[in-house]
């Protein structure tokens, strides 16, 4: 349930400035690309559910993982966020070593199935005021914790190639979608290929420049009045029920979400075919309304002719000519 609350407030108040696609962007693909991603990637049941959705729909997902979910209560001290005490995190840690083990196996299985594992940082802190050194420390913490998660938590049977795989994680989304110029410089210095923290008014091509691609989540019309909202489940949750659980209205909220996603998809599919991005979490808000909408949406669109429901990494390889290993 951890997402762009700061951005949500700005968007709903009408003062959010969003980027337009700029110079240097790659040519629009002939296929309609759909980029579905998950932030945090915590609950093991939702790992299983998302992978089942992939098998049923043919979609491939990007998982922006928070590294504190790979630390147990006994190893939480290994993380110290910029300006924070050791063992502090806005999203907590894993509840046990066994939970960490289950999550590590899910990550490895998802990677083998063609999904992308990317970084959501570690402690889910708002880094808008961080320096480049702070961002570099956060990226270094992510790399170290994920690389050593098996041994640090005394979990046996680390897969061959795990550390090599971690070195290929080069995608990032900032907690709260909160960015600054120091973050972008730190991403370049840390060897990342892209950031996915932007917000645009409607679908937009990823920007390319300075050795880094920038993907954005679009604001799309939603609801009876067609007011725009960031295409992410938590934003919809706040709009639909003010961030309070109303499971009795799950069917209504699910239908609204599905209709908004399908309308956004159809505008692109029958038009310019600009890639459409949508973000989700592993939290079942409003009785699972948003996951129900996601499953219906992916099932309906990902098998259509000339549609590619793919990862951010695969987009850069297949449509932007970027050779990215991993």
């Amino acid at each position: 349930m951890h997402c762009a609350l700061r951005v949500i407030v700005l968007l709903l108040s009408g003062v959010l400035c969003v980027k337009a696609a700029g110079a240097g962007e790659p040519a629009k693909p002939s296929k309609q690309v759909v980029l579905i991603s998950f932030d945090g990637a915590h609950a093991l049941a939702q790992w299983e559910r998302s992978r089942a959705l992939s098998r049923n729909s043919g979609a491939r997902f990007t998982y922006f993982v928070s590294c504190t979910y790979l630390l147990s209560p006994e190893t939480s001290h290994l993380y110290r966020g910029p300006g924070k005490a050791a063992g502090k995190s806005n999203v907590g840690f894993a509840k046990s070593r066994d939970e960490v083990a289950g999550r590590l196996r899910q990550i490895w299985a998802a990677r083998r199935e063609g999904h992308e594992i990317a970084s959501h940082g570690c402690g889910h802190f708002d880094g808008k005021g961080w320096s480049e050194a702070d961002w570099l420390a956060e990226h270094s913490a992510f790399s170290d914790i994920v690389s050593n998660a098996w041994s640090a938590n005394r979990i046996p049977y680390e897969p061959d190639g795990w550390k090599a795989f971690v070195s290929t994680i080069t995608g990032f989304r900032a907690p709260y979608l909160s960015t600054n110029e120091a973050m972008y410089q730190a991403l370049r210095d840390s060897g990342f290929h892209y950031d996915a923290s932007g917000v645009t008014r409607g679908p937009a091509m990823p920007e390319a420049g300075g050795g880094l691609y920038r993907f954005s989540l679009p604001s799309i019309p939603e609801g009876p009045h067609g007011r725009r909202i960031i295409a992410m489940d938590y934003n919809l949750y706040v709009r639909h029920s003010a961030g309070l659980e109303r499971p009795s209205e799950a069917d209504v909220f699910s239908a609204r979400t599905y209709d908004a996603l399908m309308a956004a998809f159809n505008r692109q599919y029958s038009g310019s075919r600009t890639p459409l991005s949508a973000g989700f979490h592993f939290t079942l808000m409003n009785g699972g309304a948003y996951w129900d909408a996601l499953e219906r949406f992916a099932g309906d669109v990902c098998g259509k002719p000339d549609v590619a429901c793919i990862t951010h990494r695969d987009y850069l390889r297949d449509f932007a000519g970027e050779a990215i290993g991993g």
Side-chain angles (χ1 to χ4, degrees), residues 110-123:
R111 180 255 184 185
R112 290 171 63 89
E113 291 164 359
H115 302 287
E116 179 184 1
I117 307 301
S119 172
H120 199 41
C122 287

Side-chain angles (χ1 to χ4, degrees), residues 4-325:
L5 183 57
R6 184 177 67 87
V7 178
I8 296 165
V9 172
L10 291 171
L11 181 64
L12 294 178
S13 65
V15 298
L16 178 64
C17 296
V18 295
K19 302 189 302 294
E25 62 192 22
K28 289 183 173 63
S30 59
K31 284 186 176 289
Q32 176 59 55
V33 171
V34 179
L35 302 167
I36 297 170
S37 57
F38 299 98
D39 288 8
H42 178 238
L44 298 181
Q46 299 311 107
W47 272 105
E48 291 284 359
R49 187 172 173 181
S50 65
R51 291 171 54 217
L53 174 57
S54 169
R55 291 190 293 271
N56 293 333
S57 67
R60 295 294 180 268
F61 305 127
T62 302
Y63 296 90
F64 292 101
V65 174
S66 297
C67 86
T68 56
Y69 294 146
L70 300 181
L71 294 175
S72 68
E74 294 76 21
T75 56
S76 63
H77 65 279
L78 296 177
Y79 172 65
R80 180 189 292 271
K84 308 294 182 181
K88 298 295 183 181
S89 164
N90 274 354
V91 293
F93 297 84
K95 292 182 175 62
S96 67
R97 184 179 69 170
D98 286 346
E99 184 185 293
V100 174
R103 191 164 296 113
L104 288 171
R105 295 181 186 116
Q106 289 289 337
I107 289 171
W108 190 245
R111 180 255 184 185
R112 290 171 63 89
E113 291 164 359
H115 302 287
E116 179 184 1
I117 307 301
S119 172
H120 199 41
C122 287
H124 209 277
F125 298 117
D126 186 341
K128 66 178 180 295
W130 285 358
S131 67
E132 183 182 352
D134 291 333
W135 281 109
L136 288 170
E138 184 77 349
H139 297 322
S140 179
F142 178 91
S143 179
D144 290 346
I145 288 168
V146 180
S147 292
N148 298 309
W150 297 82
S151 58
N153 291 285
R154 294 181 293 110
I155 298 169
Y157 311 118
E158 177 180 319
D160 291 339
W162 174 267
K163 289 182 173 59
F165 145 68
V166 175
S167 71
T168 70
I169 296 176
T170 55
F172 179 75
R173 177 173 285 155
Y176 307 106
L177 307 182
S178 186
T179 67
N180 60 14
E181 285 306 312
M183 185 201 81
Y184 292 115
Q185 187 57 52
L187 287 173
R188 296 184 190 98
D189 292 347
S190 299
F192 282 83
H193 283 97
Y194 75 84
D195 169 71
S197 310
V199 176
T200 49
R201 182 179 173 83
M205 298 296 294
E207 298 177 354
L212 193 71
Y213 281 85
R214 299 190 191 185
F215 291 88
S216 296
L217 288 166
S219 58
I220 61 175
E222 187 274 338
H225 303 293
R227 292 187 298 134
R228 289 184 178 271
I229 190 78
I230 298 173
M232 184 171 263
D233 56 357
Y234 186 67
N235 301 63
L236 290 157
Y237 176 58
V238 170
R239 169 172 287 182
H240 291 164
S241 60
L244 302 174
E245 285 296 319
R246 282 160 50 184
S248 63
E249 298 181 64
D251 289 346
V252 173
F253 299 146
S254 180
R256 281 180 56 167
T257 300
Y258 172 82
D259 290 346
L261 291 173
M262 281 302 302
F265 170 84
N266 286 329
R267 278 190 291 272
Q268 299 308 316
Y269 188 49
S270 61
S272 64
R273 296 200 169 179
T274 302
L276 174 66
S277 296
F280 293 84
H281 291 76
F282 274 17
T283 304
L284 296 179
M285 295 165 271
N286 277 331
Y290 309 104
W291 271 73
D292 291 345
L294 167 62
E295 288 170 330
R296 185 180 169 197
F297 172 73
D300 285 351
V301 307
C302 292
K304 286 182 176 290
D306 296 326
V307 172
C309 294
I310 58 175
T311 70
H312 294 69
R313 177 194 295 271
D314 287 346
Y315 176 88
L316 293 181
R317 181 196 65 202
D318 296 342
F319 297 103
E322 290 289 324
I324 300 174

